[in-house]
Amino acid sequence: MGKTLLDLGCGNGSVCLRAAPYFERVYGIEYSPFYYVVARIRTARYDNIKIIYGNMFTLPWPKTDYIYCYLLPEMLVKFQALLFLNVQYLALIQT
């Protein structure tokens, strides 16, 4: 423990829930109002999960050690530029 995870486009919060026991802090960003509410309800009992409502392309990202993102292929090109602006040098990026 002691690390943080950022789940971009966290949907219903499933990844956040599975990651919570292994990370000190888990952040999820979700743009869909419906899935944001679902994720907030599902993760409410965890003190180390924070679900943020907004657009991952315009919101500032919390400082984090790991980033998880599952996107549709057509979104990856737009996401790639944003990723390199927000990730520190020598970070591991796995696709």
Side-chain angles (χ1 to χ4, degrees), residues 3 64-67 83-94:
K3 301 286 185 177
T64 188
D65 298 301
Y66 298 94
I67 297 172
L83 183 64
F84 286 108
L85 289 174
N86 285 283
V87 173
Q88 294 180 359
Y89 181 67
L90 294 180
L92 173 65
I93 300 172
Q94 183 176 351

Side-chain angles (χ1 to χ4, degrees), residues 2 6-7 9 11 13 16 31-32 34 37 39 45 52 56-57 59 70 74 76 82 84 86 90-91 94-95:
L6 173 60
D7 181 4
C16 294
Y31 185 65
S32 163
F34 174 77
V37 171
R45 68 179 185 265
I52 302 165
M56 70 178 170
F57 293 106
L59 280 177
Y70 181 84
E74 58 269 12
L76 289 177
L82 181 64
F84 286 108
N86 285 283
L90 294 180
Q94 183 176 351
T95 57

Side-chain angles (χ1 to χ4, degrees), residues 4 6 9 12 14 18 31 36-38 44 54 58 60-61 72 79 87 91:
T4 57
L6 173 60
N12 66 13
S14 291
R18 293 199 184 263
Y31 185 65
Y36 166 74
V37 171
V38 171
T58 58
W61 293 358
L72 298 171
F79 177 71
V87 173

